[in-house]
Amino acid sequence: MSSIKILSKEISELIAAGEVIERPASVIKELVENSIDSGATHITVEIKSGGIAYMRVTDDGCGISFEDVPVAFLRHATSKIAEKSDLYNINTLGFRGEALSSVAAVSRVEIMTKQKGETYGTIYSVEGGEEKSHEKSGCPDGTTVIVRDLFYNTPARLKFLKKDVSEANAVSNIMHKIALSHPDVSFKLIRNNRVDFNSSGDGDLFSAVYAVYGKDFAHDLLKIDYEYNSIHISGYTVKPLYSRANRTFQSFFVNGRYIRSKLCSSALENAYENMMMTGKFPACIIMLDMSPTVMDVNIHPAKAEIRFTDEKSISDALYFAVKSAFIDGGLIYDFEFKQKTNTENINDENDGINDKERNSDIKDIPFIQESIFTAPENISEKEEAMKKNIYNSEIEPIKKFSETESVQKSETEKKESFKYINPDSFLEPAETASEMIQEQKPDIKIIGEAFGLYVIAEVDNKMIIIDKHAAHERIIFERLKSRNCKQYSQGLITEIKMLLVSEEADVMEDNAELLADLGFVFDFSEHPCITVQCVPSFIMHTDVEGIICEVAENLKLHKHNPQTCMLDDIFHNMACKAAIRANDRNTPEEMKALVEQILFDENVRHCPHGRPVMFTMTKGNIDHQFKRT
């Protein structure tokens, strides 16, 4: 074994730089965060050759004094921390005191800075961590940092960089995140002498989203504003229909700092359960504001990950916030007259390119801006009810059917609304429920059916198109999920005997109470045969034995915890097989009952597989298509 040596200052600084600086995007992140901490309101970033050859960050912040400039380039030099306790109350983005030192160790850096009110500013240059010049000079207020020839003195690290366009996209991506997290700051990014994006800095998050991702992305968002256990959640999340092929467009910020968090992604995606197509992911821009004392931001060299002291509260807050946005937004989709674009398959190579760029060649075709429902002005759901199941039948849906007429259903009315569709005929309305809402419901005129699948109706001054199979499938799914199907349990004139394997028969008997809640009654006295005595009436016309076999198999696979999401799989299959199908003949009365059920039930917005059940079209939009306006 060779003798132990103390590393030279040059080598130790190169190692330290490697922990923070991985690529040009790392440099830009550190420099821009310093600019934000300096109080800047306008920040311009310019890169050439992906940032490898040239990077410039200019701000109008407080600047640095002549004496402090050399100190700022020393390791562990910072103005944000003075004592140990400050580590647990960090509110700034940069605080380690390693950014400028790390950048200077692997590049050629020049800084021009001037404090407001000072006659002269400072020009300072450093190469490979060694000071080259330090002098006073005339320059504007604020700070400009120019970084050239990144990794010129570490060729091994240089060869691992990607192509210029990939590095530039990474810079663009990190700038997007920073611009979204600080809508009160105006950001401009220039790539090879071309403006990539320019945010207004007006303090409106939606303006920042529009500037970064473009009109189409911004149009598909639902607003979030929710508080839970002293955690404030705000921002935007996408409507389930407009999901993405990957998680690239999921952006989470904690106290203004962009983070990567499996916890947040999981909570977000749980909120979309049974509302999104398989293999798709929601997009979001979500801000979490909380006390810095309940988290640790000092666990990652680039501060991209943080640790929460109470992960369950964070998860619950995010989940309920997204569910509240669904209730507030209504999830009614406008029929859009625009070309289909294939912009979802985005990989890491081009994840910095925004929707606005990708859709630049798409003709600006008008689309419908308003929904048949407008968002309610306030939401009064009880937190305890939301904790139990925000989409449970116990929640009171709130819905506006026009600009001036609103309808709020009581818990009793909600239960009655399940009777709108008679399980025996699938669509016969119940008299009592219809009478209860006769004076409140909108004027519905059934126009007819198209292709044996789509119900077309006129509601007030709008036309709605409903996928009757998807809508009925969701209605049955929600009925099953409510575990309130005993009222639909119907005895069989001729009982059905089924032979199961012993393990399946055992687990069916163990879950007899659960099955009774779903409308099933069995006799288990002839084990391993079971006798089917009652089934939910809405599956009477389906393959009853096939459904029971699927239920038994699923329960056997999850016998130790039958309350998991596998129940949703059972509900999916039952609902799909029991729902009305394309080309099933339905009377106008049955179609009207289906429309009423959908309009009054906020849960019926997507089928269990994530497809929308309804689109709306305004008369004004149709007039526009026919050139009447």
Side-chain angles (χ1 to χ4, degrees):
M1 179 178 175
S2 60
S3 60
I4 298 174
K5 303 180 181 66
I6 302 296
L7 292 176
S8 67
K9 177 175 179 291
E10 179 185 10
I11 295 177
S12 63
E13 287 184 348
L14 287 175
I15 293 173
E19 296 177 354
V20 178
I21 306 303
E22 299 174 346
R23 60 196 308 188
S26 307
V27 176
I28 294 299
K29 176 182 180 294
E30 298 293 342
L31 296 182
V32 171
E33 287 183 348
N34 279 349
S35 292
I36 294 171
D37 288 341
S38 75
T41 57
H42 294 81
I43 299 173
T44 299
V45 174
E46 182 179 1
I47 61 172
K48 296 178 182 178
S49 302
I52 302 169
Y54 180 87
M55 290 177 277
R56 177 175 61 87
V57 177
T58 302
D59 67 57
D60 59 353
C62 64
I64 308 172
S65 69
F66 180 83
E67 295 78 13
D68 281 346
V69 171
V71 180
F73 282 85
L74 298 178
R75 287 196 65 198
H76 308 307
T78 179
S79 62
K80 285 99 182 203
I81 296 175
E83 52 190 48
K84 182 172 66 174
S85 60
D86 292 340
L87 286 171
Y88 305 100
N89 193 33
I90 294 170
N91 292 297
T92 56
L93 297 176
F95 61 88
R96 291 176 179 272
E98 294 181 357
L100 290 177
S101 173
S102 297
V103 172
V106 291
S107 64
R108 297 183 172 94
V109 179
E110 183 178 2
I111 182 171
M112 293 173 285
T113 182
K114 177 177 173 292
Q115 294 183 316
K116 293 178 176 63
E118 295 291 331
T119 304
Y120 295 101
T122 304
I123 294 181
Y124 183 82
S125 64
V126 56
E127 294 183 8
E130 296 295 328
E131 179 181 309
K132 295 299 180 182
S133 66
H134 180 208
E135 56 190 29
K136 291 186 177 182
S137 176
C139 54
D141 292 345
T143 302
T144 295
V145 179
I146 298 174
V147 180
R148 295 182 174 90
D149 304 327
L150 184 64
F151 298 141
Y152 79 97
N153 55 348
T154 54
R157 195 171 295 166
L158 181 64
K159 72 178 182 179
F160 281 103
L161 293 179
K162 296 182 180 179
K163 296 178 181 179
D164 288 357
V165 65
S166 298
E167 295 299 339
N169 286 338
V171 171
S172 181
N173 188 44
I174 199 67
M175 284 300 299
H176 290 169
K177 299 294 191 290
I178 294 174
L180 293 171
S181 65
H182 291 82
D184 55 332
V185 178
S186 175
F187 293 93
K188 179 188 289 187
L189 174 61
I190 303 171
R191 293 172 54 172
N192 295 326
N193 302 316
R194 179 180 61 85
V195 175
D196 185 80
F197 80 93
N198 191 358
S199 64
S200 64
D202 61 2
D204 185 356
L205 176 59
F206 188 82
S207 296
V209 173
Y210 194 101
V212 170
Y213 292 135
K215 177 184 70 176
D216 288 344
F217 183 91
H219 174 253
D220 300 335
L221 298 177
L222 296 171
K223 188 173 183 179
I224 296 175
D225 190 359
Y226 187 79
E227 189 159 347
Y228 176 82
N229 281 359
S230 300
I231 303 166
H232 183 236
I233 312 287
S234 60
Y236 295 91
T237 192
V238 75
K239 294 179 181 179
L241 177 61
Y242 305 116
S243 55
R244 299 275 168 171
N246 51 44
R247 295 185 177 91
T248 300
F249 286 89
Q250 290 183 10
S251 299
F252 300 99
F253 304 90
V254 176
N255 295 351
R257 184 194 308 278
Y258 170 71
I259 63 164
R260 297 190 298 265
S261 172
K262 291 182 180 179
L263 174 72
C264 292
S265 288
S266 179
L268 172 73
E269 290 163 21
N270 286 341
Y272 281 83
E273 190 175 11
N274 302 317
M275 300 176 65
M276 187 166 283
M277 301 287 285
T278 302
K280 297 290 186 178
F281 301 92
C284 70
I285 303 96
I286 292 180
M287 311 291 178
L288 297 90
D289 292 302
M290 64 192 77
S291 169
T293 60
V294 299
M295 59 186 177
D296 184 0
V297 298
N298 200 28
I299 64 170
H300 190 275
K303 305 182 288 291
E305 299 174 7
I306 63 177
R307 181 185 294 119
F308 300 105
T309 57
D310 186 355
E311 292 189 345
K312 187 176 187 306
S313 288
I314 301 298
S315 179
D316 288 348
L318 219 164
Y319 177 88
F320 296 142
V322 175
K323 286 296 191 183
S324 293
F326 292 160
I327 294 176
D328 197 357
L331 294 183
I332 302 297
Y333 295 100
D334 303 323
F335 194 91
E336 300 182 6
F337 294 93
K338 62 180 182 180
Q339 298 178 26
K340 184 178 180 181
T341 59
N342 184 21
T343 62
E344 291 187 347
N345 296 321
I346 302 165
N347 55 34
D348 291 337
E349 283 286 303
N350 62 3
D351 60 9
I353 302 176
N354 59 44
D355 282 2
K356 183 170 56 177
E357 270 189 312
R358 286 188 291 269
N359 297 338
S360 61
D361 58 337
I362 302 300
K363 187 176 179 181
D364 188 12
I365 302 175
F367 53 86
I368 302 176
Q369 291 283 0
E370 60 175 321
S371 165
I372 189 171
F373 299 136
T374 55
E377 293 182 0
N378 41 60
I379 298 204
S380 59
E381 281 76 9
K382 298 176 182 178
E383 279 194 355
E384 289 302 315
M386 292 182 69
K387 289 178 184 178
K388 185 173 181 181
N389 186 343
I390 198 163
Y391 268 126
N392 193 292
S393 60
E394 297 177 13
I395 302 299
E396 301 176 7
I398 301 177
K399 184 59 62 182
K400 281 189 178 180
F401 288 95
S402 66
E403 294 290 336
T404 59
E405 181 179 88
S406 63
V407 177
Q408 293 191 10
K409 292 172 56 183
S410 68
E411 201 166 298
T412 303
E413 290 173 313
K414 173 71 176 183
K415 292 176 181 177
E416 288 293 337
S417 71
F418 282 119
K419 300 179 183 178
Y420 285 3
I421 298 181
N422 187 291
D424 296 323
S425 63
F426 293 115
L427 287 168
E428 181 182 344
E431 290 294 329
T432 304
S434 296
E435 290 173 1
M436 290 177 66
I437 61 169
Q438 187 66 39
E439 296 182 1
Q440 296 179 324
K441 68 184 181 183
D443 183 23
I444 299 173
K445 178 182 177 182
I446 300 297
I447 299 173
E449 273 188 277
F451 314 114
L453 179 58
Y454 303 106
V455 176
I456 302 174
E458 182 182 328
V459 181
D460 295 334
N461 199 36
K462 302 174 181 70
M463 184 173 75
I464 62 175
I465 304 174
I466 295 172
D467 182 331
K468 66 180 184 180
H469 171 76
H472 196 213
E473 185 180 4
R474 186 71 194 207
I475 291 167
I476 296 173
F477 176 79
E478 290 297 326
R479 187 183 296 164
L480 290 166
K481 197 172 181 180
S482 72
R483 311 278 185 87
N484 189 28
C485 293
K486 288 183 178 180
Q487 59 182 309
Y488 303 110
S489 184
Q490 183 167 319
L492 300 178
I493 296 176
T494 303
E495 295 180 342
I496 302 173
K497 284 195 174 183
M498 298 178 59
L499 176 63
L500 303 178
V501 299
S502 295
E503 192 175 7
E504 289 178 340
D506 288 341
V507 76
M508 290 282 281
E509 187 171 3
D510 291 342
N511 286 278
E513 185 176 347
L514 166 65
L515 294 169
D517 289 340
L518 300 180
F520 293 97
V521 176
F522 301 96
D523 178 5
F524 298 100
S525 61
E526 299 180 35
H527 190 279
C529 284
I530 65 171
T531 302
V532 186
Q533 298 176 329
C534 300
V535 298
S537 53
F538 45 81
I539 72 164
M540 291 283 291
H541 307 288
T542 66
D543 179 11
V544 174
E545 292 188 38
I547 289 177
I548 292 173
C549 284
E550 288 183 7
V551 170
E553 183 178 359
N554 276 279
L555 287 175
K556 183 185 71 173
L557 292 173
H558 299 82
K559 60 183 179 181
H560 298 299
N561 185 17
Q563 308 303 318
T564 63
C565 61
M566 70 89 193
L567 289 176
D568 285 349
D569 294 334
I570 296 175
F571 300 157
H572 286 174
N573 293 334
M574 291 177 63
C576 186
K577 292 177 179 178
I580 53 177
R581 298 187 176 278
N583 298 318
D584 283 355
R585 297 181 63 86
N586 302 114
T587 67
E589 291 76 18
E590 291 171 340
M591 289 187 282
K592 186 173 183 179
L594 179 63
V595 174
E596 288 180 352
Q597 171 73 29
I598 294 169
L599 294 183
F600 279 91
D601 193 341
E602 287 219 14
N603 298 334
V604 188
R605 295 294 174 260
H606 303 82
C607 81
H609 309 288
R611 295 188 300 273
V613 304
M614 172 172 53
F615 285 92
T616 70
M617 299 173 64
T618 65
K619 179 180 181 298
N621 187 267
I622 297 173
D623 288 342
H624 181 79
Q625 295 298 313
F626 284 101
K627 309 302 181 183
R628 286 181 172 270
T629 57

